[in-house]
Amino acid sequence: MISQKLNDQITRIGPQTAAGAVLRRYWQPAALADELRASNGAVPVNLLGERLALVRDASGDLVLATRVSSPDEPPAHYPDPQSIELVEGGPVYPVVEKKGMVFTYMGPGTPPAFPNFDCFRAPDSHVFAFKGLWECNWLQALEVGIDPAHASFLHRFLQDEDPSDGYGRQFRDKAAHTDMPMTQVLREYPRPDIEVEQTDFGLKITALRHMANDLTHVRVTNQIFPQAICIPMSREMIITQWHVPIDDENCYWYTMFTSFAKPVDKDVMREQRLKEHRLPDYAPLKSRANNYHYNPDEQESLTYTGMGLDINVHDQWAVEGLGPIQDRTREHLGRGDAAIVRYRQMLRKAIKAVESGEEDMLPMRGGADVGRIVGPLSNDAIASTHDWKQASFLTDMQRRAECPWDASV
Amino acid sequence: MAGRAFEDILDGYFPLEESVRQMMERHRFSTVWITLLHAPIMNLRDLAPTDPVPLTLPKIYSGMIDFMALLGSKQGNRIELEGLGDWFWIDPRDRAPTFPATIRLGEPAFVRGIGLHELGDDPDALTSPREVAVVRPKTSSALAEEMASATAELGWTSSRAFGFGRRVEGICDIADADLSRTLLGQDFTAPTESSDGSGATAPLDEPAYLLVNTSPDQLTPEALKLARRL
Ligand SMILES: [Fe+2]
């Protein structure tokens, strides 16, 4: 229960807003490289309340420039590239392309360095990027991602499928090195103990599900300041996901799927996701307009939501269901929301730092040696309850040691 | 006397003193020093401390603690809170020089602090290495030297110190406070040459400080990490 004013402070991101000023101090995903390739001209970009386009400048470099727009265009408006006109003298932002994503820096001064996260270190062959539109504020989209308990409910599957059919899908692998499907672990142990630890990049979030026979399932996920998460997807892959505001009431998730051992089968990954999204604006085919294809029969026998097997749709329904901007005057967080509480404190601290001109205090800025930040460790492990910490660490080290690219930490 | 640096989350929505009391109960602490940062608060005027949490928050009832250092000590079944803080209310009518301990947090708040399991006038407090110690200055001057030599007497190489340096009535605005003898996490290093100690004993009414051991080679990595984040 925070007042509307305090809710506005942490959610609104347009120019001259407190949270917007923090997000502008970091590289932001602006488009997929797939969009650049599909366009024979400019690529429209709607980002942080600004209407922009990716274009080549006079020297042939890719930049993000302000485009002419009308106030009544839809939030994720995607005009024909040929019709895009630039605003003369409007802001122009630098861009860099990394692993299938185009990042931009919309803040003042020198942009921070990129950390050496796995998604940036892995070769192109091992990273696949995709995005999708959610019709809600970026903060509620992020906050579901740092709540380790929600997967046991929102993503509950009432039946376990053969994990060998699970390629490229979240929670469809076996849990760690057991024969237990991940779906079963989540379903049978719904109330994890949650530990949150501050790191150089944000937060390390550990969810402990104490199981039978003195075993504990350990799931390590991360919050990367300001609006990304890094979580395990399968034993083979991790997900790094940014929740990027279009405006105050709409956002894109941008995800890098990073594979350790084998190259990513990008065709399969893209095809799976294009079945659920339309081009060119990457709007999901299931939405509030069609009730997310909710099916009560499915809910009875197969999934918690009755909205199909794609967990992205579950998250989309949960966060869009809170309204365009979650009304936090009616919210009651508990101690189980530890990561959300910690994240908000970091965000408020950052807002204060920017307002008082102490930008060097922001995570991964100032004198921080950002290039030395590696990992982060994100994985699932099942271990004896007494040494879960060590087992979780060793599981990750083993995966890294067996990996053909340099994933050492 | 045993104590340690700790991190926890204070529950929201209940009176602050009740949330602190429950936190102390969870850890079995008899005394705590905690720091709150950027914690939303609400002042529900017609709500008794024992009333349940309402469902929504009218906008004028809200504010924020930017910073607050609190010392909580168990007095029977209840606790006494004293502290210094910097907070604001959106409605100027809520402004006051003191912060009632019955104010409710607007959401759970992450805190770092030091907890003591049992606080007494332990004559051995300065003799054996440990994570936390209570130190009473022997004189009313040269606080920094006193803390540095206390660090050495404890057998530590470095410490971090906390204390208001005087009696505080309730929770007061830090802007109005005399901070000349207040320590809010200052670091001290043991001098290489020990001072003459001079046999002075601490006057009993002298306010105490909590010293946390930050010596790199004396603590478990976990304890050192917690101490350094205070
Ligand atoms: Fe989810």
Side-chain angles (χ1 to χ4, degrees):
Chain A
M1 289 166 73
I2 55 174
S3 68
Q4 192 52 48
K5 194 172 167 180
L6 293 182
N7 197 25
D8 288 344
Q9 184 202 37
I10 54 175
T11 53
R12 296 193 182 270
I13 47 66
Q16 320 306 327
T17 57
V22 171
L23 299 197
R24 280 173 171 75
R25 264 68 181 180
Y26 294 87
W27 288 101
Q28 294 290 337
L32 294 175
D34 281 356
E35 294 177 78
L36 271 180
R37 272 192 291 279
S39 165
N40 47 4
V43 173
V45 170
N46 304 306
L47 180 58
L48 289 168
E50 298 187 40
R51 313 302 271 178
L52 307 159
L54 272 174
V55 293
R56 302 255 166 218
D57 68 7
S59 50
D61 292 331
L62 211 52
V63 292
L64 195 59
T66 308
R67 68 177 163 81
V68 176
S69 62
S70 75
D72 59 349
E73 44 179 65
H77 185 52
Y78 214 97
D80 186 313
Q82 313 307 323
S83 72
I84 290 176
E85 281 177 59
L86 299 184
V87 174
E88 216 161 309
V92 178
Y93 304 112
V95 303
V96 292
E97 197 179 326
K98 279 196 179 272
K99 310 294 166 191
M101 262 186 217
V102 179
F103 288 84
T104 186
Y105 182 75
M106 296 169 69
T110 316
F114 277 86
N116 243 326
F117 291 139
D118 294 317
C119 58
F120 299 134
R121 256 169 123 193
D124 288 353
S125 55
H126 285 61
V127 186
F128 171 71
F130 202 78
K131 74 177 194 178
L133 176 68
W134 282 355
E135 294 180 319
C136 68
N137 181 257
W138 68 280
L139 182 60
Q140 66 216 54
L142 173 71
E143 287 185 342
V144 76
I146 54 175
D147 166 22
H150 87 276
S152 280
F153 297 91
L154 192 61
H155 306 314
R156 178 174 297 186
F157 292 84
L158 308 177
Q159 299 165 19
D160 305 306
E161 63 178 20
D162 180 355
S164 59
D165 296 335
Y167 183 80
R169 296 193 167 102
Q170 176 66 295
F171 299 135
R172 289 323 186 86
D173 204 348
K174 294 178 207 166
H177 296 279
T178 66
D179 280 328
M180 201 169 175
M182 194 57 208
T183 42
Q184 189 188 344
V185 175
L186 291 175
R187 185 174 62 238
E188 293 185 1
Y189 304 98
R191 292 187 301 144
D193 288 345
I194 298 165
E195 296 190 0
V196 185
E197 194 187 328
Q198 181 185 308
T199 65
D200 291 342
F201 55 80
L203 300 170
K204 176 182 179 181
I205 304 159
T206 307
L208 300 169
R209 287 178 163 87
H210 301 300
M211 305 166 38
N213 303 320
D214 212 20
L215 292 174
T216 292
H217 178 262
V218 188
R219 182 171 170 84
V220 179
T221 58
N222 304 272
Q223 198 288 316
I224 298 169
F225 198 79
Q227 6 83 276
I229 58 173
C230 183
I231 62 175
M233 184 176 84
S234 57
R235 283 171 299 161
E236 176 87 1
M237 276 191 242
I238 57 166
I239 286 174
T240 313
Q241 183 171 65
W242 289 257
H243 291 283
V244 186
I246 292 172
D247 55 24
D248 288 339
E249 300 183 354
N250 298 273
C251 62
Y252 276 113
W253 55 263
Y254 278 84
T255 299
M256 284 186 186
F257 301 87
T258 306
S259 178
F260 284 96
K262 297 195 199 101
V264 185
D265 190 335
K266 297 191 190 189
D267 292 338
V268 167
M269 298 280 289
R270 190 180 289 109
E271 196 186 320
Q272 284 174 348
R273 283 155 187 84
L274 283 176
K275 271 190 199 147
E276 308 270 358
H277 296 82
R278 72 171 189 210
L279 296 180
D281 60 2
Y282 289 82
L285 301 181
K286 293 179 182 173
S287 67
R288 186 193 290 257
N290 54 34
N291 213 15
Y292 304 90
H293 292 203
Y294 167 66
N295 175 347
D297 294 334
E298 180 200 302
Q299 191 171 38
E300 200 149 288
S301 59
L302 191 58
T303 64
Y304 186 83
T305 59
M307 292 172 186
L309 301 177
D310 179 5
I311 68 136
N312 257 310
V313 177
H314 312 161
D315 287 323
Q316 179 199 350
W317 164 77
V319 299
E320 290 182 347
L322 292 165
I325 301 179
Q326 183 189 346
D327 179 1
R328 291 184 177 78
T329 70
R330 300 192 304 163
E331 168 195 68
H332 296 83
L333 297 176
R335 264 184 290 132
D337 296 302
I340 292 169
V341 167
R342 296 282 298 264
Y343 174 75
R344 288 191 196 166
Q345 191 192 61
M346 284 199 311
L347 180 60
R348 291 182 180 122
K349 197 172 167 187
I351 285 172
K352 189 104 181 171
V354 170
E355 282 173 355
S356 48
E358 294 172 329
E359 292 178 28
D360 287 358
M361 305 289 286
L362 296 182
M364 295 187 283
R365 292 203 49 130
D369 189 354
V370 178
R372 281 187 51 204
I373 300 178
V374 292
L377 272 53
S378 25
N379 65 42
D380 288 290
I382 291 181
S384 298
T385 296
H386 72 274
D387 81 343
W388 63 263
K389 220 168 225 179
Q390 179 73 352
S392 165
F393 179 74
L394 290 178
T395 307
D396 210 77
M397 289 309 112
Q398 189 187 346
R399 177 164 72 174
R400 289 170 185 279
E402 290 164 356
C403 159
W405 50 277
D406 179 13
S408 58
V409 292
Chain B
M1 184 209 65
R4 59 187 170 88
F6 74 102
E7 297 181 343
D8 199 0
I9 290 183
L10 276 178
D11 283 313
Y13 320 118
F14 297 96
L16 178 63
E17 59 186 359
E18 175 59 16
S19 297
V20 174
R21 191 191 67 79
Q22 290 196 17
M23 188 187 68
M24 291 171 68
E25 196 99 312
R26 282 200 293 282
H27 295 274
R28 302 188 178 284
F29 289 146
S30 56
T31 302
V32 284
W33 175 284
I34 51 172
T35 308
L36 281 101
L37 289 171
H38 313 292
I41 44 178
M42 49 197 198
N43 184 11
L44 301 155
R45 291 195 189 94
D46 303 321
L47 202 69
T50 49
D51 281 350
V53 174
L55 290 176
T56 65
L57 181 65
K59 66 176 180 186
I60 55 164
Y61 290 160
S62 174
M64 178 86 87
I65 295 170
D66 283 334
F67 167 85
M68 189 173 281
L70 289 176
L71 181 65
S73 36
K74 212 173 151 191
Q75 312 284 350
N77 280 334
R78 47 179 307 278
I79 60 152
E80 195 171 300
L81 276 185
E82 49 186 293
L84 294 176
D86 176 12
W87 67 90
F88 68 85
W89 293 105
I90 286 170
D91 184 342
R93 281 178 297 167
D94 288 324
R95 277 178 206 154
T98 55
F99 186 96
T102 50
I103 292 293
R104 296 165 185 245
L105 293 173
E107 62 188 35
F110 172 67
V111 293
R112 292 197 166 103
I114 305 157
L116 301 181
H117 292 293
E118 186 196 345
L119 175 58
D121 291 311
D122 180 352
D124 294 334
L126 297 185
T127 57
S128 56
R130 61 190 74 204
E131 290 180 34
V132 174
V134 178
V135 171
R136 287 177 201 278
K138 292 168 185 160
T139 64
S140 55
S141 61
L143 188 58
E145 284 79 18
E146 289 245 19
M147 290 298 139
S149 65
T151 304
E153 284 173 53
L154 283 159
W156 303 351
T157 50
S158 59
S159 68
R160 191 161 283 184
F162 301 83
F164 300 123
R166 62 188 175 82
R167 172 96 184 132
V168 178
E169 291 295 331
I171 304 169
C172 303
D173 190 335
I174 197 166
D176 304 332
D178 168 13
L179 301 178
S180 56
R181 294 189 56 86
T182 300
L183 297 177
L184 300 171
Q186 280 85 340
D187 288 315
F188 297 97
T189 311
T192 41
E193 280 176 35
S194 61
S195 64
D196 61 2
S198 73
T201 49
L204 276 179
D205 56 344
E206 195 68 30
Y209 294 88
L210 283 168
L211 244 63
V212 178
N213 193 348
T214 56
S215 314
D217 52 347
Q218 295 185 3
L219 303 170
T220 64
E222 202 69 6
L224 187 62
K225 201 155 67 179
L226 285 173
R228 286 186 168 167
R229 285 190 179 145
L230 285 171

